Amino acid sequence: MEEGDTRWEDLRKEARKIEGDLDVKLSSYAKLGGMLAHGDIGSSEDTLGGDVSWKSMEMEIESLLERLLDVNDAMSRSVAAATSTTSVTQKLARHRDILHEFTQEFKRTRGNISSMREHAELLTSVRNDISEYKASGSSSPGSSLLRERGAIHGNIAQIEDVINQAQATKGALAAQRTAFSEIQSKVKQLGDRFPVIRGLLGAIKRKRSKDTLILSAVIAACALFLILYWLAK
């Protein structure tokens, strides 16, 4: 039992160390994203050491996440092999939550940085084309090409806005569908629990069907009367 406790504490100590390293690395990584967003970093050489340092930071974070996953798995095996208490189980769950939070934060920041770098590279390409055009004194075809590239860049931004709006709308519709499903389920539960309510719902449904039949008969009679009247003229 003491050997299992020692193993558990050693693993927790290692997990906390990796979590601390990840916190520092992710903060630096997010700072890089913020600098990109404000245009403080170039596309090839930046204040954090260029593309090599940027990719190196990504690889370090991925390696730390893999190590933390391995440690969490080892902690799970240690808990399963020993008689665990509620406190130990809660601590293990907390370490898993931290790993999940770090993983999601890394994916979100990496996606943002990738998108901002693509925009920065596109803008740099346009600026270079403009500079080359001014330096060479080219004729109107080059100017038209630059205008077209600028228009394409503007369209890309508009498309991204539309996609974001569509995703937001999709999320809202999904939430409404979930709410309607919950309401329908609750109404069904009430009907099953209270026969009177179920009978009332059934009566409403039958009355609606009866009203629909009557309305259809009236419309058919009116149509028939109009046809007969037209034929008799």
Side-chain angles (χ1 to χ4, degrees):
M1 182 65 179
E2 293 180 357
E3 182 179 354
D5 292 341
T6 302
R7 173 65 174 164
W8 163 259
E9 290 299 331
D10 290 342
L11 289 171
R12 277 204 71 203
K13 187 181 299 183
E14 183 178 0
R16 286 196 296 267
K17 181 181 183 305
I18 297 174
E19 289 167 358
D21 294 341
L22 273 171
D23 191 29
V24 174
K25 292 291 184 181
L26 286 171
S27 297
S28 300
Y29 196 55
K31 181 181 178 182
L32 171 62
M35 296 172 71
L36 278 170
H38 291 86
D40 297 334
I41 301 178
S43 60
S44 60
E45 294 291 335
D46 54 52
T47 57
L48 295 179
D51 289 344
V52 176
S53 297
W54 174 68
K55 295 299 295 183
S56 175
M57 185 182 301
E58 249 190 24
M59 294 174 63
E60 289 177 2
I61 294 174
E62 289 175 345
S63 177
L64 288 172
L65 288 172
E66 291 177 0
R67 285 177 54 195
L68 185 57
L69 176 61
D70 292 339
V71 173
N72 277 348
D73 291 340
M75 292 169 66
S76 299
R77 291 192 295 269
S78 177
V79 170
T83 304
S84 59
T85 61
T86 303
S87 176
V88 171
T89 304
Q90 290 176 348
K91 291 176 182 178
L92 176 60
R94 178 53 186 159
H95 283 292
R96 288 174 177 168
D97 290 340
I98 292 174
L99 172 61
H100 178 73
E101 291 170 2
F102 281 156
T103 302
Q104 294 303 313
E105 181 180 353
F106 172 62
K107 290 180 179 179
R108 181 172 57 253
T109 305
R110 181 173 60 183
N112 292 338
I113 289 178
S114 177
S115 177
M116 286 184 287
R117 284 177 65 85
E118 290 176 359
H119 289 170
E121 289 171 358
L122 179 60
L123 290 176
T124 301
S125 175
V126 172
R127 293 192 188 102
N128 291 338
D129 289 343
I130 293 175
S131 299
E132 291 176 0
Y133 171 73
K134 289 181 178 179
S136 61
S138 299
S139 57
S140 58
S143 177
S144 300
L145 178 62
L146 292 177
R147 286 196 299 270
E148 290 178 1
R149 294 195 65 172
I152 291 173
H153 176 62
N155 291 335
I156 290 174
Q158 293 178 359
I159 291 172
E160 290 180 349
D161 292 339
V162 172
I163 291 175
N164 292 333
Q165 293 176 5
Q167 290 176 342
T169 303
K170 180 181 178 182
L173 292 175
Q176 291 180 3
R177 182 173 60 187
T178 301
F180 287 145
S181 298
E182 292 177 354
I183 293 172
Q184 184 178 5
S185 177
K186 290 180 180 179
V187 170
K188 186 177 181 302
Q189 291 176 1
L190 286 174
D192 294 337
R193 186 175 300 177
F194 301 102
V196 176
I197 295 179
R198 182 171 56 189
L200 179 60
L201 293 175
I204 293 174
K205 184 176 181 180
R206 288 192 298 272
K207 187 177 186 303
R208 184 182 301 170
S209 300
K210 182 179 178 182
D211 292 343
T212 302
L213 290 174
I214 294 173
L215 182 60
S216 300
V218 171
I219 293 174
C222 291
L224 180 60
F225 175 78
L226 289 174
I227 293 173
L228 293 175
Y229 177 76
W230 179 75
L231 292 174
K233 289 181 64 177

